Amino acid sequence: MPMMNDAERNGVEAVGNGAPGSDSNVNTEVNNSDGFRHIGDGEAGRAVLEYVWSSFARYHSDDMRESDYRLIMDDQQWAMVRDLLQRYLAMDDLDDAVQVFRDREMGKLADSCLPDAVPSPAPPGLPQGWWTLLEAAYECLGDEEGLRRIYACYIVTDRLPWHRRSQMPSRVPRHEREIDSAHYVRKLKTLSGEHWPEDVRRMVEVHQRYYRDPMLSGRQLAYEELLLSERLSDAAWRYCKVRCHSRYTLASEAAELMERMFDVVSERHAEEACDILLAPLHDADSPMLSNDSPERVTQIITVLRKCLPYVGNRVREECERLYGMYRHRQLLRSELKKLLEHVQP
């Protein structure tokens, strides 16, 4: 597993040795003395600054400005950190960066089973560890291509903002209701401008190369947001098809994923998507069929209505089958009867 050498580690630790710059109040819209123009929204820079003054009790800023990058390091130091971390994280190419990240994650998993494994260098207490420091360097130095690559890497590898996660325990701790899974998709789209179609194509290619196996990746909410926002039907179907396979997941969980992605997947793969959505209706132990509560009945009817425009005959068959099977569920039977009245025989 790659390790930082002494020169690299000393370069990264320069974050704690930078002194306040004399021009920290310069307008952020003006190029600094080395010709660099700050870009992005400054989120990573603020995170690094907060880390510096909270860890070393030396600096404090209630209103982070772009010129405050000089409170951390000067431009020469920022450039050194960028070059060092870009090599360490392989961030000079998106494909290489994702491969290195994935290999290191697999290495950590393997090492966790070995009592005598050599630990990796501990990352700083930043939202994305070393990546946040590199992101701040890209912001400070106006490196648009680098910032685009690191946002794309976050999306492909599902690096969601840790500070947005819920502190409440949950069976699905990274559920989309607890975090802003579109965070980096919005940031990259704003930054990319005319390069956005190129960036989207590249992210889809890299994701399909390294994250096809759901045993290793599972659901990836940031990538799902990309597929939804750009309405990438073929890519969305490839993503869902393998993650909805009975080998990897329960029918009810597969239906939950497909329900979220259905509007996009159905543009080109409607019948296949309906097969996944309707599968839990054939499993008496599925949560959807667990009782006759209004919540469960609404779920069933919603699924049937969603599939109706695409597989009308099958929806009618499902309604008739459920109506005859659950004779003591009055609410379900009532709603199924209403739906059958609108389904052509």
Side-chain angles (χ1 to χ4, degrees):
M1 186 181 303
M3 299 284 290
M4 279 190 168
N5 59 36
D6 291 340
E8 290 174 328
R9 190 172 291 107
N10 290 338
V12 173
E13 288 174 353
V15 67
N17 298 326
S22 58
D23 58 349
S24 62
N25 293 322
V26 173
N27 190 307
T28 59
E29 296 300 320
V30 179
N31 291 353
N32 61 32
S33 59
D34 290 326
F36 297 123
R37 186 184 184 91
H38 303 156
I39 60 173
D41 59 8
E43 180 180 43
R46 288 192 295 273
V48 173
L49 182 62
E50 180 180 355
Y51 168 72
V52 169
W53 63 255
S54 64
S55 299
F56 302 100
R58 186 175 180 182
Y59 311 125
H60 178 75
S61 175
D62 294 324
D63 181 22
M64 173 67 177
R65 300 179 300 277
E66 287 189 87
S67 57
D68 289 333
Y69 290 100
R70 290 291 189 89
L71 293 175
I72 307 170
M73 289 178 281
D74 62 30
D75 295 322
Q76 184 177 4
Q77 291 171 319
W78 275 116
M80 179 183 66
V81 167
R82 177 193 59 184
D83 295 343
L84 186 157
L85 286 178
Q86 191 165 267
R87 289 195 301 272
Y88 176 63
L89 302 174
M91 274 303 308
D92 54 344
D93 178 78
L94 178 60
D95 192 294
D96 292 342
V98 171
Q99 183 178 13
V100 167
F101 173 78
R102 185 173 178 273
D103 289 348
R104 285 175 177 164
E105 290 298 298
M106 293 300 297
K108 290 177 184 178
L109 181 61
D111 288 347
S112 66
C113 301
L114 302 174
D116 57 346
V118 178
S120 300
L126 294 167
Q128 302 291 357
W130 298 120
W131 282 266
T132 299
L133 186 56
L134 178 57
E135 182 185 347
Y138 287 146
E139 291 175 352
C140 175
L141 301 174
D143 189 337
E144 181 178 323
E145 290 188 3
L147 197 56
R148 283 166 52 203
R149 281 196 305 272
I150 204 166
Y151 288 163
C153 187
Y154 289 159
I155 294 168
V156 172
T157 59
D158 204 39
R159 301 293 298 276
L160 300 170
W162 68 269
H163 59 277
R164 296 173 182 268
R165 297 184 187 180
S166 171
Q167 299 301 314
M168 299 297 292
S170 171
R171 185 176 65 86
V172 186
R174 294 179 56 177
H175 193 279
E176 61 269 20
R177 290 175 296 184
E178 299 176 357
I179 54 179
D180 183 3
S181 52
H183 182 68
Y184 290 117
V185 175
R186 288 194 304 270
K187 293 183 71 166
L188 178 56
K189 188 170 187 177
T190 299
L191 180 65
S192 293
E194 63 181 10
H195 299 291
W196 177 239
E198 171 191 346
D199 288 345
V200 171
R201 177 188 59 79
R202 184 73 171 137
M203 284 186 286
V204 171
E205 289 178 352
V206 174
H207 185 276
Q208 290 175 356
R209 183 173 299 120
Y210 294 107
Y211 288 95
R212 288 177 295 182
D213 189 348
M215 288 291 290
L216 302 176
S217 56
R219 287 188 62 175
Q220 294 179 283
L221 302 182
Y223 186 66
E224 289 178 18
E225 288 289 348
L226 176 70
L227 298 174
L228 291 171
S229 67
E230 300 308 304
R231 305 198 69 81
L232 303 175
S233 184
D234 288 337
W237 170 238
R238 285 191 293 268
Y239 171 85
C240 291
K241 178 172 63 173
V242 66
R243 284 165 176 77
C244 292
H245 196 284
S246 58
R247 180 187 306 168
Y248 302 116
T249 188
L250 299 175
S252 57
E253 294 175 349
E256 181 181 349
L257 169 59
M258 184 53 69
E259 188 168 355
R260 183 178 192 228
M261 307 296 291
F262 183 82
D263 288 344
V264 171
V265 173
S266 63
E267 291 180 3
R268 297 175 63 90
H269 305 275
E271 291 190 16
E272 297 96 326
C274 288
D275 287 342
I276 293 173
L277 278 182
L278 295 172
L281 299 182
H282 290 263
D283 181 4
D285 294 325
S286 70
M288 196 180 297
L289 294 175
S290 60
N291 56 60
D292 197 37
S293 67
E295 178 185 0
R296 297 305 186 189
V297 171
T298 298
Q299 287 181 327
I300 295 170
I301 299 302
T302 298
V303 166
L304 292 170
R305 288 189 180 278
K306 194 182 289 283
C307 295
L308 183 59
Y310 306 101
V311 288
N313 289 337
R314 182 174 174 187
V315 168
R316 181 177 183 84
E317 292 173 0
E318 294 292 345
C319 288
E320 293 173 344
R321 183 182 64 83
L322 293 171
Y323 188 87
M325 181 179 295
Y326 294 97
R327 297 181 180 275
H328 300 291
R329 297 192 179 186
Q330 298 304 315
L331 180 58
L332 175 60
R333 286 167 61 88
S334 173
E335 293 300 319
L336 289 171
K337 186 175 181 180
K338 293 178 185 177
L339 183 57
L340 279 168
E341 292 174 356
H342 296 87
V343 178
Q344 294 297 326

